[in-house]
Amino acid sequence: MSREYGVEDLLRTNAPQVLGALVRRYGHFDLAEDAVQEALLAAAGQWPDEGTPNNPRGWLIRVASRRLTDRLRSEQARARREEEAARLAPADSWTAPPPGESRAPSEDDTLTLLFLCCHPELTPAAQIALTLRAVGGLTTAEIARAHLLPEATMAQRISRAKKTIRGVPFRQPGPQDRDQRLAAVLKILYLIFNEGYTATSGTALHRADLAREAIRLTRAVRKLLPVEGAVTGLLALMLLTDARAPARSGPHGELIPLDEQDRELWDRAAVDEGLKLVEEALAQGPAGPYQLQAAIAALHDEAERAEDTDWPQILALYDLLVRQAPEPMAQLGRVVAVAMVRGPEAGLGELEALEEVLGSHYRFFAVRGHLLEKSGDPDGARAAYGAAAEGTLSRPERRYLRARAARLLP
């Protein structure tokens, strides 16, 4: 990202509260979101040179309000605009506080915005884009770069998303569907993190900006929902996974698998925080998928050496995980655990049962290649690694898989 980090962090922290203030006062989520983006860009250009205002949030609300009212004036008659503004908001509500005043929009707006951006009528791709822009404060250009898409394509995606939710009330869901909507929010944050930690395409293995943004947003949700086990578990999973990022690639960007990483390079502060959060998550009610995945990540991170990993315990956790959420990637992780506990042949037997579901995915062939190599079948392993290399759009992963195949040549 191009912004200076201190200002960037301040802007992104304030973005959802500023947007919430405008939507509560004026309505018009789509126009308000555009106005907030303009205010954020103005601040990013001015604050590094002129200094941060005493009341950054008030400054942003004031500037964004001016941009929004200018746009409203251009779209409707002045009398109609004033009449609607008066109807939508009490005279003293959500005005920009002057410098020094403590009054500010509620941080609950962050969660309300997340629920809105993850509305069930939106596709996952639209939910991700809108979340990064409206709640994360990223520009359209930044989001497009992170996803390796043209800016115009991403702008269209965001515009369509905002049109889809136009008219949706700006409030949190009712008790009857809150849990389902929260699950959707956490899933989107999880998808953003996964794309950041292991990019599905392109030249980079790791898109640190996306991973960092997912962690920041999940921290914000946990601040609002500190005793939700799924939220705590998701944050723990992200921290424990991202802690390994410094050791995942070599000097030329090449992929280094978990069992070959220099664990001295792992971020120990992130590991320690993640381990503490795992304990909290498991104490916050029945363990769900995020808590179980975090517990698996904790067992990996606790091992001083790869050979010290408690694979029987990891397998037991995977057994619980696939019973709760029989998703293909969780089942594939369980296959690896089976192989580590019972041998590669046992793992291959479990893998065959997944061929119908996962047989076209490159990770299926990568695991098959690994297990065939361990079981003493270099020709089969080489073919599987080759198929995996052809199936991935990530260049670092492709290079790694081809290298694995090449070293098995007679």
Side-chain angles (χ1 to χ4, degrees):
M1 303 290 171
S2 59
R3 301 172 187 159
E4 188 272 328
Y5 180 72
V7 170
E8 172 191 290
D9 191 53
L10 184 61
L11 292 175
R12 291 182 181 171
T13 299
N14 281 282
Q17 282 79 56
V18 175
L19 178 55
L22 262 67
V23 174
R24 289 183 185 280
R25 182 179 182 187
Y26 299 102
H28 303 289
F29 170 84
D30 51 345
L31 298 179
E33 200 279 324
D34 288 338
V36 171
Q37 278 289 321
E38 292 175 12
L40 294 174
L41 289 171
Q46 294 180 34
W47 293 1
D49 296 328
E50 301 176 8
T52 303
N54 291 333
N55 187 345
R57 189 177 295 174
W59 189 98
L60 290 168
I61 293 174
R62 190 160 52 248
V63 171
S65 295
R66 288 175 188 154
R67 304 292 172 93
L68 179 58
T69 54
D70 286 346
R71 186 163 298 181
L72 289 172
R73 285 192 191 101
S74 69
E75 292 187 357
Q76 56 190 353
R78 182 181 180 86
R80 181 180 176 185
R81 179 192 62 77
E82 291 176 349
E83 179 180 307
E84 184 168 344
R87 181 178 62 81
L88 288 172
D92 66 343
S93 68
W94 305 111
T95 54
E101 281 194 15
S102 61
R103 182 183 180 192
S106 168
E107 291 190 0
D108 285 345
D109 283 342
T110 299
L111 192 57
T112 304
L113 283 169
L114 279 167
F115 282 126
L116 185 61
C117 293
C118 298
H119 194 276
E121 290 188 17
L122 297 173
T123 66
Q127 291 172 335
I128 289 171
L130 196 57
T131 295
L132 288 173
R133 182 167 149 125
V135 189
L138 276 67
T139 66
T140 302
E142 288 172 329
I143 301 168
R145 283 198 301 271
H147 287 86
L148 305 181
L149 290 172
E151 184 175 350
T153 301
M154 187 57 69
Q156 290 175 353
R157 181 178 295 177
I158 292 170
S159 178
R160 286 195 298 268
K162 290 195 289 188
K163 287 179 181 176
T164 299
I165 60 172
R166 183 178 292 167
V168 174
F170 186 67
R171 59 171 181 260
Q172 294 193 22
Q176 68 278 4
D177 60 354
R178 176 192 175 277
D179 289 348
Q180 183 177 2
R181 293 288 298 280
L182 178 60
V185 168
L186 298 184
K187 181 178 180 181
I188 291 303
L189 295 177
Y190 181 61
L191 290 174
I192 293 171
F193 176 80
N194 282 346
E195 180 60 29
Y197 188 72
T198 302
T200 55
S201 61
T203 59
L205 179 67
H206 186 220
R207 295 177 189 162
D209 288 335
L210 279 181
R212 185 173 64 237
E213 187 61 21
I215 291 172
R216 188 186 73 80
L217 291 174
T218 307
R219 285 191 188 280
V221 176
R222 184 172 182 270
K223 183 178 179 182
L224 299 169
L225 302 172
V227 295
E228 288 276 355
V231 178
T232 306
L234 179 57
L235 180 57
L237 173 61
M238 290 179 177
L239 290 170
L240 291 167
T241 305
D242 197 57
R244 307 175 203 144
R248 288 184 72 227
S249 58
H252 304 294
E254 64 272 21
L255 185 152
I256 301 176
L258 180 60
D259 61 345
E260 298 176 17
Q261 290 176 12
D262 179 357
R263 300 183 178 218
E264 292 297 321
L265 298 177
W266 289 359
D267 183 342
R268 299 314 307 183
V271 170
D272 291 342
E273 183 183 1
L275 294 175
K276 181 175 180 294
L277 287 171
V278 169
E279 293 182 5
E280 292 184 26
L282 294 175
Q284 289 174 339
Y290 295 123
Q291 296 96 309
L292 292 172
Q293 289 180 77
I296 291 169
L299 289 169
H300 282 296
D301 287 18
E302 285 177 326
E304 294 185 7
R305 304 173 303 165
E307 54 266 36
D308 298 331
T309 305
D310 188 348
W311 283 106
Q313 183 63 25
I314 288 175
L315 177 57
L317 289 169
Y318 267 119
D319 285 339
L320 291 173
L321 178 61
V322 298
R323 281 201 292 270
Q324 281 193 21
E327 296 183 355
M329 288 303 136
Q331 293 175 315
L332 199 57
R334 180 183 174 277
V335 166
V336 174
V338 168
M340 295 301 295
V341 174
R342 302 173 190 162
E345 290 80 7
L348 285 166
E350 298 277 349
L351 185 65
E352 295 311 307
L354 300 179
E355 186 165 11
E356 184 175 347
V357 177
L358 270 175
S360 61
H361 199 286
Y362 81 94
R363 291 190 186 277
F364 174 87
F365 291 104
V367 171
R368 174 181 276 175
H370 175 70
L371 297 183
L372 287 171
E373 182 179 358
K374 291 288 187 183
S375 65
D377 182 358
D379 292 338
R382 189 169 64 252
Y385 283 137
E390 291 302 313
T392 180
L393 298 177
S394 167
R395 293 185 192 176
E397 288 188 323
R398 185 181 300 130
R399 287 196 300 268
Y400 168 76
L401 291 163
R402 286 176 175 170
R404 297 289 297 220
R407 76 181 189 182
L408 294 174
L409 288 171

